[in-house]
Every structure is written in structure tokens, then in C-alpha cells.
Amino acid sequence: MPRDTLTRDQIVDAAVGLLDDEGLEGLNMRALGKRLGSAATAVYWHVGSKSNLIGLAGDRVWDEISLPDLTTSDWRSAATTMATDLRAMLARHTWLVQAFGAYLMFGPRKARHDDHNLAIYETAGFTAAQADQAAAAVFTFVLGNAIGPAAAASLRRELSRDGGDSEKLMDAGMTEAKEVAAQFPRLRARLETAGAGYGAAPDSSFDFGLEAILDGMQAQLVTVTPKQT
């Protein structure tokens, strides 16, 4: 596709798709140009650099998170919806978790998400400073839950390079991990449970943890100093 027929939106959409398929390590202008049917130089002309492109792609996916109407939703339902949508978005785009530690990730879509997220906790009755703490606590909880799947996706891609059988190699590694874990009584007991997966979070762990966090916030609302008008 010639340079003058490409648009930045087309490039960013293609970059998100390539990142989903290949991860950060698979993104380069040559591969992206091939996906777009264009020269790598044309892609550079529109986005400037790989770092800038990753920032644009990273901001694009924040549109996938719902922004609940705070006039019709209670604060806990709204907080749960946004946290659940964030978790789902990070599961679809595992490269974003990697990108947080290597690139500056900001933009209007993320800013809109962050602003609405703060509004939830201010609507609940928290002060601005407490809303910052509440939003950060939930975000880091969700991010912590996203690290495992992101790391597994990255490892599978790494093990698949040069024709490797990633599933076979991961199964072999898990067998060794279980042998180590079996030396400890509580881990051994869980490994002996039917269907147990060592290192995997139990079913509903995310829901349990999020509810516990919001319960703690609800309890603190009793002692929150009323907002100054």
C-alpha cells in the first residue's frame, strides 16, 4: 500500500493485530509493512518510530473498557465492571503488560479511562486523595492477575521459535516444577487433588480478591471525611 494511501489508524490497527499475534518481540516495521502491503519506510513516515507506534497501539486498546454511567450504577458495580473489563482487555492484549515496563504508555483513551475510574471512587464518597489510592489498589490487583497469562504467552512464543514445540517444552518444565513442589506438604496435598494445576490460580480467585478489596473500601467509607465544597 503506497504511503499516501495509508492512514495512521490503519497502521495502529495492524500493529495491534501483529502485537496480539507476535508480542512486543515480533513487532518491527518490516513485518508491519508486510501485513499492510506497504514498505517499512511508509510506516515510519506515518508513526515516526517503533516506540511511538507501541504507545499509539497501547492507547488504542483502552477503548475496549466500559465506562459505566455513574448516574445509574452504584459505585461498586461500576468499579467491578471496569476492573473486569480491564482484566479481559489485558488477556486479549498480553503484550500491553510487557509494554508497561519498557515504554511510556499514555494517551487520550487511557486518560479518559483513568478519569472515569477516579470519578467512581469520588462518587462513592472518597476524598480525591483516597480515590487515587483506591483506583491504584484495584489497578495493581488487576495487573497482578494479568502478569501470569502475559508471561505464559511470551514464553510460548519464545519456546516456539526455531520450530520448537512450546507445549511439549512447557509440559516438561511443569513436570519438574511439580516434582519440586511435592517436597512440601501443603503443595503436595494440592497436587494430589483431582484436576489441580500447580501454579494456576483457583477458580474465581479474581472475583474473590476484587470483592475483598471493595469490601475493605466500603468499610473505610464510614470514616471518610466529607468532601469539602
Side-chain angles (χ1 to χ4, degrees), residues 122 125-130 223-229:
E122 291 185 357
F126 290 112
T127 65
Q130 290 163 332
T223 60
V224 167
T225 302
K227 293 185 289 183
Q228 299 296 315
T229 57

Side-chain angles (χ1 to χ4, degrees), residues 125-209:
F126 290 112
T127 65
Q130 290 163 332
D132 289 341
Q133 293 173 324
V138 173
F139 177 76
T140 52
F141 169 74
V142 177
L143 185 60
N145 276 266
I147 288 174
S154 180
L155 179 58
R156 284 190 176 89
R157 287 191 296 267
E158 181 65 28
L159 294 175
S160 295
R161 286 194 172 85
D162 302 321
D165 186 332
S166 62
E167 294 306 319
K168 184 176 180 179
L169 291 168
M170 289 188 76
D171 285 346
M174 185 56 66
T175 296
E176 293 183 23
K178 288 179 178 179
E179 290 173 354
V180 174
Q183 300 173 46
F184 300 89
R186 292 171 185 80
L187 296 179
R188 183 170 60 250
R190 284 158 176 77
L191 289 173
E192 292 169 353
T193 302
Y198 179 59
D203 292 341
S204 302
S205 291
F206 178 82
D207 295 336
F208 174 85

Side-chain angles (χ1 to χ4, degrees), residues 68-123:
D69 184 348
L70 301 183
T71 65
T72 59
S73 299
D74 65 274
W75 78 270
R76 284 194 61 148
S77 296
T80 299
T81 295
M82 289 193 70
T84 303
D85 278 9
L86 174 58
R87 181 195 185 204
M89 184 271 278
L90 292 174
R92 288 190 294 272
H93 309 294
T94 56
W95 52 270
L96 188 58
V97 178
Q98 295 174 279
F100 284 141
Y103 297 90
L104 291 173
M105 305 298 291
F106 62 90
R109 294 172 177 83
K110 184 178 186 301
R112 182 168 57 246
H113 164 276
D114 293 348
D115 186 78
H116 197 81
N117 206 26
L118 290 172
I120 289 174
Y121 300 104
E122 291 185 357
T123 299

